[in-house]
Amino acid sequence: MASSRTLLLALFVFLTAFDLSPVDANFIKSMYFYWGAQHSAVLGNGDELQLVLDQTSGSGIISKRSFLFGSIQMLIKLVPGNSAGTVTAYYVSSNGDRHDEIDFEFLGNVSGQPYIIHTNIYAQGNGSREQQFYPWFDPTADFHNYTIHWNPSEIVWFVDGVPIRVFRNYESEGIAYPNKQGMRAYSSLWNADNWATRGGLVKIDWNSAPFKARYRTFRARACKWNGPASISQCASNTPANWWTSPTYSQLSYAKQGQMKWVRDNYMIYDYCKDFKRFNGQIPPECFKPQF
């Protein structure tokens, strides 16, 4: 009998950990427009979305719920053609001056030049932890899966299931980590030509407007935030909290190999190597194992 209970528990954990069924996957049910609704459209049965930017306005969406730990994913097809000066942002964030935030931002470029995948993390209001990559595919030709996975041990940025970056929890050593604030999911398309392309040297060509980004199926396999009680509830090591399983406390060797390939071949900026920017005072997490 004991062995049967053990087998059932193991099966439950497996199914929970790898269940791909979404939480509120439909855009109409799970998100709303917080900016530029007149520039947005929900398509089909609510499983597709379009954000638009022109000279009058950009647009943005936000999840109805906040989450703490789990996986937040979105399928995105970026603005095609001359997208210089535009930014398509996809991130999770809390509110306030001491907010937490985990970012994907896609920096547009002139036709024929690659997009830049810009990542960052804020903990208790402090950011400046940027890492940037070129994609190894055309992100405008089809939809690609961008996933933010975070748990009490680490945050991982995935692109089509390939990890490109990890930020581990070293809070016990005085390094802030986002684990006490619920975060909503956001995405927006906006004019950032003061900095987005070559540091602002290349401006938006409004002759190419309107700019359009397409989305499919937002999925939040995550712990729903219900106030301060969620800090312990979402972090507790229970079968329902699949993200706390030891499987997700560190990347497998295979995933580490994938990430090394991306970072060796497509990484173009790492704040941990920018000695000039920090006057030689590199942030302490840069000296800690992340992978």
Side-chain angles (χ1 to χ4, degrees):
M1 182 66 70
S3 61
S4 298
R5 287 197 298 268
T6 302
L7 180 61
L8 288 172
L9 178 60
L11 180 62
F12 175 80
V13 171
F14 177 85
L15 292 174
T16 303
F18 293 95
D19 179 15
L20 296 181
S21 61
V23 175
D24 297 330
N26 186 285
F27 283 109
I28 295 175
K29 294 180 180 178
S30 61
M31 309 194 85
Y32 64 89
F33 301 111
Y34 73 97
W35 172 46
Q38 75 279 9
H39 277 57
S40 311
V42 177
L43 309 173
N45 295 320
D47 292 330
E48 293 199 24
L49 173 77
Q50 179 174 276
L51 297 183
V52 179
L53 166 67
D54 63 19
Q55 284 180 287
T56 64
S57 178
S59 48
I61 52 174
I62 180 175
S63 65
K64 294 178 180 178
R65 296 204 65 123
S66 297
F67 306 95
L68 180 66
F69 303 140
S71 285
I72 309 294
Q73 66 179 33
M74 190 92 78
L75 300 180
I76 306 175
K77 185 177 182 180
L78 297 178
V79 174
N82 185 354
S83 57
T86 71
V87 168
T88 304
Y90 168 54
Y91 59 102
V92 294
S93 181
S94 61
N95 298 317
D97 293 337
R98 297 179 62 80
H99 77 292
D100 294 337
E101 183 174 324
I102 307 168
D103 296 341
F104 274 109
E105 290 184 298
F106 306 97
L107 313 187
N109 219 326
V110 295
S111 298
Q113 298 297 314
Y115 261 84
I116 291 175
I117 302 174
H118 177 99
T119 67
N120 198 5
I121 175 175
Y122 288 78
Q124 298 176 24
N126 294 318
S128 300
R129 297 183 173 101
E130 300 91 346
Q131 292 183 355
Q132 295 181 336
F133 308 82
Y134 285 138
W136 52 95
F137 52 86
D138 180 356
T140 72
D142 203 351
F143 291 89
H144 291 269
N145 185 322
Y146 303 96
T147 296
I148 296 167
H149 175 87
W150 92 105
N151 61 31
S153 301
E154 65 180 11
I155 297 164
V156 188
W157 291 252
F158 287 97
V159 178
D160 291 332
V162 176
I164 64 172
R165 178 179 181 180
V166 173
F167 185 87
R168 294 197 66 79
N169 183 354
Y170 287 105
E171 187 177 46
S172 63
E173 300 182 39
I175 299 169
Y177 187 81
N179 58 7
K180 296 179 179 64
Q181 299 185 70
M183 294 194 279
R184 294 177 186 262
Y186 296 78
S187 193
S188 58
L189 176 58
W190 52 290
N191 174 3
D193 69 2
N194 63 321
W195 68 274
T197 306
R198 295 185 60 202
L201 294 178
V202 182
K203 303 298 183 181
I204 287 182
D205 179 6
W206 291 111
N207 292 320
S208 299
F211 303 98
K212 299 178 181 180
R214 297 285 295 273
Y215 297 78
R216 284 181 181 165
T217 313
F218 164 72
R219 284 191 174 97
R221 295 172 54 234
C223 191
K224 296 177 181 178
W225 174 259
N226 292 306
S230 295
I231 295 173
S232 59
Q233 291 171 353
C234 294
S236 62
N237 188 7
T238 65
N241 290 354
W242 61 267
W243 50 86
T244 63
S245 166
T247 302
Y248 299 99
S249 65
Q250 189 171 8
L251 292 182
S252 67
Y253 287 120
K255 289 297 183 184
Q256 289 183 44
Q258 290 179 340
M259 185 167 62
K260 184 178 186 302
W261 173 78
V262 171
R263 296 172 76 84
D264 286 348
N265 293 281
Y266 297 98
M267 189 175 195
I268 57 174
Y269 178 79
D270 182 359
Y271 77 108
C272 284
K273 298 179 180 178
D274 196 339
F275 292 91
K276 182 178 180 181
R277 173 183 180 184
F278 295 105
N279 296 317
Q281 301 297 313
I282 299 298
E285 66 269 13
C286 296
F287 301 99
K288 305 291 184 181
Q290 295 292 335
F291 314 139

